[in-house]
Amino acid sequence: MEGNRCHVVVVGGGIAGLAAAWYLRQGGEGVRVTVLDGARRIGGKLFASEVAGVQVDAGAEAMLARRPEGKALAEAVGLGGELRDPGTTRASILSRGALRAMPAGQVMGVPSDLAALARSGVLSPVGLARVPMDRILPATLVTTDVSVAAYVRARMGEEVVERLVEPMLGGVYAGRAERLSLEATMPAVAAAARSERSLLTAAREIATAPKQKGPIFTTLRGGMGSLPAAVAEASGAEIRTGVTVRELRRTEGGWRLVTGPVPEPEVIEADAVIVAVPAPAASRLLAAEVPGAAAELSRIEYASMAVVTLAYSRDAFPEPPTGSGYLVPPVERRAVKAATFSSVKWPHLAEADPGLVVLRCSIGRLGEEALLQRDDAELVALAVKEMAEVAGARGLPRDSRVTRWGGSLPQYDVGHLDRVARVRAAVAPHPGLAVCGAAYDGLGVPACVATARTAAARILDHLDPAGQWHRKADSLTKG
Ligand SMILES: Cc1cc2nc3c(=O)[nH]c(=O)nc-3n(C[C@H](O)[C@H](O)[C@H](O)COP(=O)(O)OP(=O)(O)OC[C@H]3O[C@@H](n4cnc5c(N)ncnc54)[C@H](O)[C@@H]3O)c2cc1C
C-alpha cells in the first residue's frame, strides 16, 4: 500500500495478464498495477512482424467474434475501427490425397449432415457407411469425462475421429483426440451426449441452434499482435519486460516477488498478485505457498509447434488459392498440419500489397517434437514443398519467416475441468492471489480475457471488500 493506493503485480504480459491489468484499472484510481514479463516483449503468443513488408501475425491470427470478451476488449482499448472480418471462412480438409471442402454443419469435426458429409468425400465409402450406425446403436454412457476419440469413435467410427475430429483438434490444440477431454474441448457435444443417444442428432441440434449474426472470427488490421500494446497502454500499468519472476511468497500484508539474477535479486512488494503465466511457470511460482495448485498445474502438458509464413509473388500461382486454408489429418502423414491462405482469408493483407500472396503453414502436434528439431531452412523447405503440391505455388517465396512456439499450447487432457477446479480451490483461501490465462478455461483469446476479468474481480473484491472504488469493475465482470 502506498498512500491510499494498493499495488497489484501481474506476472506475465501475455493477453491474459495485460487484460487483467486493464480490468484492474477499471477499478479506479485506488490501484497501481505493475506487469512483469520475462520476455523482451509483451504479448506472449500474440505477436506480429513484417514479412515482405506486410505486417503478419506469427502467433494467434484471429479470435472468436461470437464470444464477446476479445472483441469487446479490442473496442474498449480503441481498436474497434481496426477490427477486420475474414474474406472467407471456407476451409478444406486434405483427406485421401485431395483437398475436400469441410462438410457443412460439422461441429469441431463431428458431422451433423450425412448428405454434406458424403458430398465432401473426406471419408472413404466404408467410413461413411459406419456413421449412420450412430442412430441405431444403444446409448454410449458418458458418466465421467472421456477422451474425444473414445466417445466419437463409439458413436460414428474410427474414420470420423481420424479424418475430421483429429485435424480440428490438431488445429486448435496441436493435440490428439485420444487424450483430449470431451468435456473441456467440446463442451456442447459433451452436454448433448448426456441427454441425446444419437451424436448425429446432438450435433445437428448444436449446428442449427440460433446463432449470433456475423462472422465467427475477427482479427485486427495490424494483426492480433497489435492488441497487447494497445491493452497495455490503456491499462495505465507500469510494464516491465525482461523481468522473470522466480519466487512468490506470502508476507504479513500481501505478497513478495523475487526477480533478477540470484546474486542480485530484486524484491518487489505487492498487496495482491495475479499469476498470468503458462502452467509450468505458474506451478514453479506457486510451489512454496500453494503446493496443491502447483502440483496440479505441473501435470498440464504443453504441445510445441512452428509457424512458417511464406510470402509469394502473385504470379507464382497460375491459379491463386481460394478458401481460407486447410487442415490435415495426422493419418495423412504430412509435416504440415494446417495451412492458412492468409491473403485470401484476410483481404486487408491483400490490400496492403496486392502483388503478394501470404500463406502460413503450421507444423507440429503433440508427439511430433522431432519434426521441430529441424533448422529453419528445413522447415521453410517443407512448407514450400507443401505449398507447391497443394496450393500450386511455383518457385520460391519472396520472403519467409519461421516462428517457433515451444511448449505453447496447453493440452486439456481427460479430467482437465476437475484439475482446474482443484487449482482454483487451492488458490481460493489465499487472499490477494488469483490465476488466469490459457491453462484454465479455454486457450482462445476471448477465453483468456474472460479468465483475466474473473481474476481482476477477485483481486478488487479482496482489496476493496466494501466496494468503495471498484463498482465499475464489478459491473464489467457481469458484462
Ligand atoms: C501458434 C499459435 C497460434 C494460435 N492461434 C490462435 C488463434 O488464431 N486464435 C486464438 O484465439 N488463439 C490462438 N492461439 C492461442 C492463444 O494465442 C493463446 O492461448 C493466448 O494468447 C495465451 O495467452 P496467455 O496470456 O494465457 O499466455 P502467453 O501468451 O503465453 O503469455 C504468458 C506470458 O508470461 C510470460 N512469463 C512466463 N513465465 C514468466 C515468469 N516467471 N515471470 C514473468 N513472466 C513470465 C511469458 O513471457 C509470456 O509473455 C494460438 C497459439 C499459438 C501458439
Side-chain angles (χ1 to χ4, degrees), residues 36-235:
L36 305 175
D37 198 296
R40 267 180 287 168
R41 58 164 181 84
I42 54 165
K45 273 85 186 187
L46 302 195
F47 173 61
S49 70
E50 280 193 2
V51 183
V54 175
Q55 195 74 1
V56 187
D57 275 312
E61 49 118 33
M63 60 181 162
L64 268 181
R66 291 192 183 159
R67 253 198 93 148
E69 300 90 344
K71 209 174 155 187
L73 180 65
E75 283 163 351
V77 301
L79 293 180
E82 300 292 292
L83 288 164
R84 292 292 181 272
D85 290 342
T88 174
T89 48
R90 220 162 17 85
S92 304
I93 295 192
L94 180 51
S95 182
R96 305 194 301 124
L99 278 190
R100 300 170 190 277
M102 187 83 76
Q106 55 79 27
V107 179
M108 275 302 271
V110 176
S112 67
D113 178 338
L114 279 176
L117 179 63
R119 272 196 309 277
S120 75
V122 170
L123 303 191
S124 72
V126 173
L128 187 65
R130 168 65 180 82
V131 182
M133 299 265 294
D134 162 71
R135 292 218 167 104
I136 48 174
L137 284 168
T140 307
L141 284 181
V142 181
T143 49
T144 58
D145 193 13
V146 293
S147 74
V148 173
Y151 179 67
V152 178
R153 182 186 294 123
R155 299 304 317 167
M156 295 182 165
E158 187 62 40
E159 269 197 48
V160 170
V161 175
E162 277 186 349
R163 297 194 173 271
L164 281 160
V165 173
E166 283 280 21
M168 295 297 282
L169 294 173
V172 179
Y173 298 92
R176 303 306 298 257
E178 218 59 70
R179 291 185 44 176
L180 289 170
S181 148
L182 184 68
E183 293 279 355
T185 65
M186 297 192 186
V189 173
R194 284 192 287 271
S195 58
E196 183 59 62
R197 182 173 60 87
S198 159
L199 180 54
L200 266 170
T201 309
R204 172 153 280 238
E205 275 166 19
I206 299 166
T208 55
K211 295 200 173 62
Q212 249 179 282
K213 288 209 178 78
I216 302 173
F217 293 104
T218 186
T219 194
L220 291 161
R221 192 169 59 94
M224 289 300 295
S226 63
L227 184 59
V231 179
E233 198 187 332
S235 76

Side-chain angles (χ1 to χ4, degrees), residues 217-310:
F217 293 104
T218 186
T219 194
L220 291 161
R221 192 169 59 94
M224 289 300 295
S226 63
L227 184 59
V231 179
E233 198 187 332
S235 76
E238 182 192 357
I239 309 284
R240 293 181 58 194
T241 52
V243 181
T244 300
V245 180
R246 290 192 277 111
E247 206 180 303
L248 181 61
R249 297 308 292 237
R250 197 150 156 195
T251 60
E252 216 173 294
W255 295 85
R256 176 170 300 141
L257 300 101
V258 181
T259 78
V262 176
E264 284 173 72
E266 181 192 354
V267 173
I268 300 171
E269 304 286 345
D271 298 292
V273 172
I274 295 182
V275 175
V277 296
S283 170
R284 287 191 291 278
L285 285 178
L286 297 174
E289 299 292 347
V290 200
E296 294 290 350
L297 286 163
S298 72
R299 293 191 188 105
I300 300 178
E301 202 175 330
Y302 277 65
S304 299
M305 61 177 286
V307 174
V308 182
T309 309
L310 305 173

